[in-house]
Amino acid sequence: LERLDEPNVSRKLPERESVEDLQEALREYFEADRESTVAVVGVDIYRYSSFDTDRQRLVPLVFRLILDSTLADLCQREALFFPDLPRRYQSDFISTGDGGFLIVTSPLAALAFAIYFEAHLQWFNSYISNPNLRAVLGPLTVRWAITYDTVFSFENNSFGTALITNARLLASDRLNR
């Protein structure tokens, strides 16, 4: 980028050739295994912002407990769908505190994750796992979105249409459908 796009101190419009060279260099940079078509599972604690402060503080902890137990269960029982999950989930899960986005290889893997997470959430809500924490926090409800589109990485972060669409679906669901 520095070689092909220098600061414009003369305030003249850039020459067409230099713009085309930059466009080609950027296209090559982003095509080098940085973009892939994936499924994104979005999960969000419903009405988190309406919780009192003490309950809001507990949600990231409880979410992480449920996520960790879900992922451990998936690694043990569904290795076919999640062969390298233990290695990748730290980088493939984008936390939002009251939820997040998990990047997986296929819509089927996304559905498997959602089913297992929902089972672990129900164990929490039924006082089976962490019963004292459940008594303090109360029951939790989540909203889901699954999208299948492109994602690209830049500086160890993920971006792309799959994430944008997923976030918009979660944000637009006011009725928890």
Side-chain angles (χ1 to χ4, degrees):
L1 185 60
E2 291 172 0
R3 181 178 57 81
L4 295 172
D5 194 23
E6 298 173 357
N8 187 356
V9 291
S10 66
R11 302 198 184 222
K12 294 188 290 185
L13 288 176
E15 295 178 21
R16 182 164 182 80
E17 297 82 31
S18 63
V19 171
E20 289 171 354
D21 290 345
L22 176 61
Q23 286 175 325
E24 181 60 30
L26 290 171
R27 193 174 302 111
E28 288 173 13
Y29 175 80
F30 283 109
E31 285 180 357
D33 292 333
R34 286 181 169 78
E35 182 174 283
S36 56
T37 301
V38 295
V40 173
V41 185
V43 58
D44 175 64
I45 303 292
Y46 185 59
R47 296 195 178 260
Y48 169 74
S49 61
S50 68
F51 291 3
D52 62 57
T53 304
D54 291 336
R55 288 179 65 209
Q56 281 186 358
R57 288 184 188 131
L58 293 174
V59 167
L61 167 67
V62 171
F63 186 87
R64 179 51 73 175
L65 290 171
I66 294 170
L67 177 66
D68 288 347
S69 63
T70 299
L71 294 171
D73 213 4
L74 284 168
C75 290
Q76 180 183 359
R77 300 173 189 265
E78 304 294 346
L80 178 66
F81 295 119
F82 302 95
D84 55 352
L85 189 60
R87 225 176 30 249
R88 292 183 49 204
Y89 101 84
Q90 291 293 351
S91 64
D92 290 347
F93 184 77
I94 303 162
S95 178
T96 60
D98 68 327
F101 305 95
L102 181 67
I103 300 170
V104 294
T105 55
S106 72
L108 190 56
L111 188 57
F113 170 80
I115 291 168
Y116 274 79
F117 188 96
E118 194 66 43
H120 284 265
L121 176 63
Q122 293 312 312
W123 291 335
F124 174 79
N125 283 338
S126 305
Y127 297 92
I128 294 170
S129 65
N130 306 97
N132 293 333
L133 197 52
R134 162 56 177 87
V136 172
L137 182 59
L140 295 176
T141 306
V142 295
R143 296 184 290 187
W144 293 98
I146 296 176
T147 53
Y148 186 70
D149 211 329
T150 57
V151 168
F152 66 92
S153 56
F154 177 70
E155 294 184 349
N156 295 324
N157 290 307
S158 297
F159 305 91
T161 310
L163 287 162
I164 293 167
T165 304
N166 200 294
R168 287 182 179 161
L169 285 170
L170 287 173
S172 67
D173 184 9
R174 304 269 182 243
L175 302 174
N176 193 28
R177 291 172 271 177

